[in-house]
Amino acid sequence: MLKPRSTATRELVSLDGLWRFALDGGPGPLDTTLEAAVPASYNDLFTDSAIRDHVGWVWYQRQVRVPRGWAGERVVLRVDAATHQGRVYVGDILVAEHVGGYTPFEADVTEHVRAGQEFRLTIGVNNELTDTTIPPGTITVTADGRRRQTYLHDFYNYAGLARSVWLCSRPAVHVEDITVVTAMDGTVEYAVRTSAPAQVRVRVLDATGTQVATADGTNGALRIEDVRLWRPGAAYLYDLVAEVLDGERVVDSYPEPFGVRTVEVRGTRFLINGEPFYFTGFGRHEDTPVRGKGHDNAYLVHDFQLMDWIGANSFRTSHYPYAEEVMEFADRHGIVVIDETAAVGLNLAVASGLTGAPPRPTFSPDTFGEATREAHAQAIRELVARDKNHPSVVMWCIANEPASNEEGAREYFEPLVELTRKLDPTRPVSYAAVLFATHDNDRIADLFDVLCINRYYGWYVATGDLATAETYLEHDLRGWADRFGKPIMMSEYGADTMPGLHSVWDTPWTEEYQQAYLEMNHRVFDRIEAFVGEHVWNFADFQTSHGIHRVDGNKKGVFTRDRRPKAAAHALRARWRSLGSRKPQG
């Protein structure tokens, strides 16, 4: 699905701002005095705990005027995300419905609106998670009749319209989709889908706007002479301009930015443009005070500045697709991205360990079965369709910490891996392995290209004993390397840390312990030849659900939630800025 853009043939109106808001309602006029910001999660905006803890539908509403110059154009409503289910109404008419909280959806509303006139726009958003949603969860009813949502992921279930809403115009015959695949010699293969059969011309413009290649037809290949590659830390972008023609007249024009680069796994090396690449960076969250998961451009700029300051060259979109503005910023600034679906929590052993409940099989008709896998497949389809042309995206991560050691895991994941490769054969595919999954019992690692390992030796295991933790970690990682012969990276490692807490001993929660913990991990990484990267968990502290093992959220951030550096940030900066993008020699 193409991102809305203002072009010579298209216009768009941002519908961001303050909307009427209510817990109860529908497409009719809302009886409320509350207003909610868009984009933002609604949970932390209000002081009423009934709103913060609400389970079910909430309602956003506003009046929208269609620009008077849009007569004869197609009029489209686009919702960048509605967490986790959305329904869109024009007046009383349902025009769109979508399940999945982090990918966009849209509706052509041309027949329901008029140029120059207003209409009532209502968006219902449902935050419920079940066994057949991605991510999954469970809804129970308390003794006093309150509905309660539980879930299996360790971040707060923020909900609402966390990303922008748009009103867009398009010509009757228009470009619907573009796919771009590049090679280092400047060859660009392209495919353009239009809303109806049409004459199509494709032009490639360089960063100065100079035309450097052209071709005709909806599918084909062209060649950029003296091509400039997109490289980590040195981004260069071209525009592929797809034009729908009526004779010589341009009916529609859409520019799709792209970079020329290749990604390959060869043996135990991860290659970008044929050169070994070593990941340094973080798992992150879209999480800020008050806004929750609401996209904020000020935080976007500042967070990327902090990553540049610390020497990070990459991040993982843990644990869901991030806003498209984040991906575009990474494209422009040469930051490498591992792009992840919202499939976090497919592991009932974790819930059993936390609650003491009897263990249940993760993959079964009564737990996560065919319906869950189809929802998961749809999440993969929508992620790849949205992000396939971003040069910053070098790998798809289709799940975080699934029960890959349990029976049924292979039957569940093998079709999903095949689907991902069919949708995009140009990028490696991975998943992030949970601590319970070892090189001895994991059932799916051979299906994937890169082994992303989440490990917390020295925190959840061998707590406060870094000498023992170092032994455990090296034995664990060498086992994966010896058995599978694939590139390995640490996709999560970290220790909760309270800023300002200090000790001369290895005391968990202190700033000194976080630094020593990371240094222990780094010693092990540097001794393993197959290692291709390290992503610290987490970039910044973030909000979680209630739990006695959390104090106002997860404190594993190298930065606080308001982006102040802990002591470990300075130690990481020294390592990463000297390390660059190459693997140290072990």
Side-chain angles (χ1 to χ4, degrees):
M1 182 181 294
L2 296 175
K3 187 176 189 293
R5 302 190 193 281
S6 178
T7 77
T9 60
R10 299 173 179 226
E11 295 180 350
L12 67 157
V13 175
S14 171
L15 301 183
D16 293 353
L18 293 175
W19 293 50
R20 291 189 295 279
F21 179 85
L23 298 187
D24 299 313
L30 294 183
D31 182 15
T32 181
T33 60
L34 295 178
E35 296 180 69
V38 174
S41 304
Y42 64 78
N43 307 80
D44 292 351
L45 296 180
F46 306 99
T47 58
D48 187 352
S49 61
I51 298 176
R52 191 173 199 270
D53 299 333
H54 177 73
V55 178
W57 290 94
V58 300
W59 301 91
Y60 293 79
Q61 191 171 91
R62 61 166 290 173
Q63 293 295 116
V64 176
R65 182 177 296 279
V66 181
R68 63 181 182 177
W70 287 13
E73 299 290 295
R74 306 305 299 179
V75 181
V76 176
L77 276 166
R78 152 91 171 214
V79 180
D80 282 351
T83 310
H84 297 277
Q85 180 180 359
R87 291 176 181 165
V88 181
Y89 297 84
V90 172
D92 295 331
I93 301 170
L94 177 66
V95 296
E97 187 168 12
H98 180 261
V99 177
Y102 303 98
T103 44
F105 62 102
E106 62 185 29
D108 188 319
V109 298
T110 309
E111 306 307 319
H112 307 293
V113 301
R114 295 292 179 267
Q117 297 183 8
E118 283 192 339
F119 66 92
R120 185 178 69 248
L121 173 60
T122 307
I123 303 180
V125 183
N126 184 6
N127 66 350
E128 295 179 3
L129 299 173
T130 70
D131 282 350
T132 59
T133 62
I134 296 294
T138 303
I139 297 172
T140 56
V141 179
T142 63
D144 59 359
R146 289 177 293 114
R147 301 179 78 235
R148 182 181 177 187
Q149 175 79 72
T150 57
Y151 43 92
L152 304 173
H153 53 269
D154 186 34
F155 55 94
Y156 189 79
N157 189 39
Y158 281 114
L161 296 175
R163 299 175 189 164
S164 292
V165 180
W166 306 91
L167 189 70
C168 317
S169 75
R170 295 174 187 164
V173 181
H174 56 267
V175 176
E176 284 193 335
D177 191 43
I178 299 172
T179 302
V180 180
V181 177
T182 64
M184 289 176 60
D185 66 356
T187 299
V188 179
E189 297 180 5
Y190 70 89
V192 178
R193 188 177 76 237
T194 56
S195 59
Q199 179 187 356
V200 171
R201 177 175 64 198
V202 169
R203 300 186 297 124
V204 174
L205 309 181
D206 67 13
T208 70
T210 301
Q211 182 173 300
V212 294
T214 186
D216 293 314
T218 57
N219 296 268
L222 44 79
R223 178 80 175 273
I224 303 173
E225 299 296 336
D226 300 319
V227 67
R228 289 185 61 177
L229 299 180
W230 187 96
R231 300 180 186 279
Y236 189 90
L237 295 178
Y238 294 89
D239 276 333
L240 187 141
V241 182
E243 296 173 328
V244 176
L245 304 178
D246 181 5
E248 290 301 314
R249 183 172 69 92
V250 176
V251 175
D252 187 30
S253 177
Y254 186 92
E256 178 75 342
F258 72 97
V260 178
R261 65 103 183 93
T262 61
V263 179
E264 179 186 2
V265 169
R266 188 183 305 162
T268 59
R269 297 189 301 169
F270 192 97
L271 307 177
I272 299 179
N273 298 331
E275 299 177 353
F277 180 77
Y278 190 80
F279 295 82
T280 58
F282 300 96
R284 299 175 58 207
H285 269 299
E286 291 184 313
D287 175 277
T288 57
V290 181
R291 301 165 186 81
K293 293 200 175 305
H295 176 71
D296 185 288
N297 283 326
Y299 271 100
L300 168 67
V301 172
H302 188 57
D303 286 355
F304 272 77
Q305 283 285 300
L306 290 177
M307 285 192 291
D308 180 68
W309 173 84
I310 206 170
N313 62 23
S314 56
F315 64 91
R316 177 169 61 119
T317 69
S318 45
H319 298 299
Y320 37 82
Y322 288 0
E324 286 173 276
E325 291 84 355
V326 178
M327 315 307 289
E328 292 173 328
F329 201 94
D331 289 343
R332 294 194 300 270
H333 294 273
I335 301 296
V336 171
V337 179
I338 299 173
D339 208 356
E340 188 165 278
T341 72
V344 54
L346 296 174
N347 197 324
L348 294 178
V350 173
S352 177
L354 289 174
T355 65
R360 295 188 297 156
T362 297
F363 305 104
S364 75
D366 297 326
T367 52
F368 303 139
E370 291 185 11
T372 310
R373 187 173 61 208
E374 180 46 45
H376 195 162
Q378 185 61 23
I380 293 171
R381 292 186 193 101
E382 293 184 8
L383 174 65
V384 174
R386 195 196 73 167
D387 290 350
K388 61 187 174 183
N389 294 330
H390 288 291
S392 59
V393 175
V394 301
M395 182 157 58
W396 305 114
C397 184
I398 65 171
N400 180 75
E401 295 192 346
S404 58
N405 56 305
E406 290 189 24
E407 290 186 12
R410 193 173 189 90
E411 292 77 4
Y412 181 94
F413 276 100
E414 192 162 12
L416 298 177
V417 176
E418 293 174 356
L419 171 65
T420 309
R421 295 196 195 284
K422 180 180 178 181
L423 294 170
D424 177 22
T426 71
R427 290 179 176 88
V429 182
S430 186
Y431 71 106
V434 70
L435 182 64
F436 307 142
T438 70
H439 57 273
D440 288 325
N441 66 18
D442 189 276
R443 298 167 183 259
I444 65 174
D446 62 294
L447 300 173
F448 294 85
D449 301 297
V450 178
L451 303 178
C452 292
I453 311 295
N454 294 356
R455 290 295 183 266
Y456 291 93
Y457 295 115
W459 188 251
Y460 296 121
V461 178
T463 309
D465 184 353
L466 293 179
T468 297
E470 187 167 351
T471 301
Y472 285 171
L473 177 62
E474 183 161 2
H475 173 77
D476 189 347
L477 296 181
R478 288 196 182 279
W480 289 91
D482 292 344
R483 179 180 174 189
F484 295 104
K486 297 174 182 283
I488 302 174
M489 69 174 291
M490 189 71 90
S491 42
E492 287 185 24
Y493 64 114
D496 283 277
T497 305
M498 290 296 294
L501 186 63
H502 299 283
S503 176
V504 297
W505 303 291
D506 281 344
T507 304
W509 291 91
T510 63
E511 293 194 52
E512 289 80 9
Y513 188 77
Q514 184 183 39
Q515 184 172 334
Y517 168 94
L518 295 176
E519 290 171 350
M520 176 276 290
N521 277 266
H522 298 154
R523 288 194 298 271
V524 175
F525 302 166
D526 292 348
R527 294 196 291 262
I528 296 177
E529 188 62 30
F531 226 71
V532 298
E534 52 199 60
H535 276 178
V536 173
W537 189 259
N538 192 283
F539 170 73
D541 296 344
F542 58 92
Q543 191 57 260
T544 63
S545 59
H546 299 305
I548 58 174
H549 63 301
R550 298 285 179 236
V551 181
D552 190 31
N554 190 304
K555 293 294 193 293
K556 292 188 180 69
V558 170
F559 298 94
T560 63
R561 199 179 187 207
D562 62 355
R563 279 34 176 191
R564 298 175 185 270
K566 302 176 187 177
H570 297 277
L572 276 175
R573 184 173 190 261
R575 172 177 170 82
W576 286 349
R577 291 181 74 86
S578 65
L579 188 59
S581 62
R582 300 301 180 91
K583 174 80 168 69
Q585 295 299 310

